[in-house]
Every structure is written in C-alpha cells, then in structure tokens.
Amino acid sequence: MQSAHGQGRSPHVQYPPIDGFWTWDIKRDRVYGDANLSDYFGLTLEEFSHGVSMERCMQSIDAEDRLRVHIAIRKAVERRAGFREIYQVRSDKMGLRRILAVGQCYVDGQGEAALYPGWFIDLTRNVDSGETALREVHRHIEQAKEISQSIGQDLLFYLLENAQEEAQQRLDGRTMRRKSAWSRPC
C-alpha cells in the first residue's frame, strides 16, 4: 500500500493526544476500531473487531453533520486524499461529543482506494473555551509561518505574523487593531 497524496513530504502537524483509532477497508466496506471508537460511536468492541459497515458508523454522527461528513468522506476517497472533519457523534455511553477525525487514503497496486486508517480527538471539552481555541490558532499560525518562511513567501509570512499577533493580543485581553501591511513603509 502507498499513500495517495503524492511523492512530496507534507510538514509535520502537531495534534493533541489521540482518543481513538480506526481502519476502514474500503473495498469490503468494513470499519475496524478500538474500544474508544466503540464508546464514542455506540457500537460494541466486538462489532469493531469483526468490522462494521461505514453506513452503520454514520448512524452515530449527529443528523446535522451527517450529510456534510458523508460528502467529505466520498470526496476524500474519490481523490485518494486525506480527510479532516469536525463533527458531533452521539452514543449512550458518551452522550453528544464533538470530535476531530483525521484519516488518510492508501491505494492498492492498481491505484484504487483500499485502506483508510485514521484517528480522532475529542474536542468537546474545548468547545466553550475561547482561550483554548485562540491558543490553537496561535500555534497553527506559528506552523504556517515556518512553512511560508521556508518556501520564501515573505509577504505571506508577514501577514501570518500579523494574524498571530492579533491572536496573542486577544489572549492577553487586548483588542487593538494593527495598521494595514499596505500602509507600512518599505
């Protein structure tokens, strides 16, 4: 199996601790998962040990998110690409939880989508925390700045630096507006 996202290496992205894992055998339509996945999706560990259909897993996704997630999964498989979505799942054991799910399509020797392993993290505890969200934004902007600088995109780096400073000001309780980059003397 090989990753379908091309030859180049993508930059390392840091995520919070992972709450659960799955592997989707696309050709046989079987999703296998760990105990945490079974808790969050309201299925038994035995079901995930033997594999359940993707449709069965989709039933645990909140009705408001289900169509959007279904379309995103379909597009990711068609494009042989990565998947990254935030949505809500519901189970008797966990209740309503907001998760970030991340996966990557792998193809077989004929270039057909074959396996889709992935993982998720529970974002529920962070939903109401604006400060936590701003810290995440700040951290992601730092990563984007490093990438833009490494590829020589100075204007993009400058704009990201301004956005990061805005996030930091909000974290510090200040809400001052920066001057536009275009009014800055060269």
Side-chain angles (χ1 to χ4, degrees):
M1 294 287 157
Q2 60 184 0
S3 171
H5 68 274
Q7 311 295 25
R9 290 183 60 171
S10 42
H12 177 70
V13 178
Q14 296 177 347
Y15 290 100
I18 294 170
D19 290 309
F21 296 92
W22 77 83
T23 298
W24 178 28
D25 180 338
I26 298 168
K27 291 180 175 189
R28 294 181 346 157
D29 188 28
R30 306 316 292 159
V31 178
Y32 303 89
D34 67 359
N36 287 345
L37 190 70
S38 68
D39 288 348
Y40 277 77
F41 280 74
L43 301 166
T44 67
L45 183 54
E46 185 172 331
E47 286 175 294
F48 275 123
S49 294
H50 296 344
V52 297
S53 71
M54 176 57 78
E55 187 56 40
R56 178 86 166 88
C57 293
M58 294 293 295
Q59 292 172 0
S60 299
I61 297 175
D62 192 61
E64 291 182 19
D65 295 330
R66 196 173 298 143
L67 179 60
R68 176 180 53 83
V69 171
H70 178 75
I71 291 169
I73 290 169
R74 189 185 76 231
K75 285 181 180 179
V77 170
E78 288 171 0
R79 295 177 181 155
R80 316 299 196 258
F83 172 86
R84 184 181 187 281
E85 287 291 324
I86 295 174
Y87 55 90
Q88 295 184 97
V89 293
R90 183 180 307 275
S91 73
D92 290 338
K93 185 170 188 174
M94 301 300 292
L96 184 64
R97 308 300 291 184
R98 182 179 170 96
I99 64 171
L100 164 65
V102 178
Q104 178 61 51
C105 184
Y106 290 89
V107 298
D108 62 16
Q110 290 75 42
E112 295 179 19
L115 291 178
Y116 221 102
W119 50 266
F120 73 94
I121 56 174
D122 188 336
L123 301 175
T124 307
R125 60 191 166 275
N126 297 331
V127 169
D128 295 326
S129 174
E131 183 177 335
T132 300
L134 278 174
R135 288 189 194 290
E136 284 294 304
V137 166
H138 191 274
R139 187 175 59 76
H140 286 292
I141 292 172
E142 182 64 33
Q143 291 172 342
K145 279 175 41 186
E146 290 172 10
I147 294 167
S148 65
Q149 190 173 38
S150 73
I151 61 173
Q153 294 291 325
D154 296 334
L155 178 58
L156 184 56
F157 177 84
Y158 175 76
L159 294 171
L160 288 166
E161 198 170 52
N162 284 335
Q164 188 177 36
E165 186 174 318
E166 178 70 22
Q168 186 62 51
Q169 288 177 355
R170 289 174 187 228
L171 283 167
D172 294 341
R174 299 175 285 155
T175 56
M176 299 183 301
R177 307 277 296 165
R178 283 188 57 97
K179 293 180 182 173
S180 168
W182 307 113
S183 64
R184 187 174 139 195
C186 296

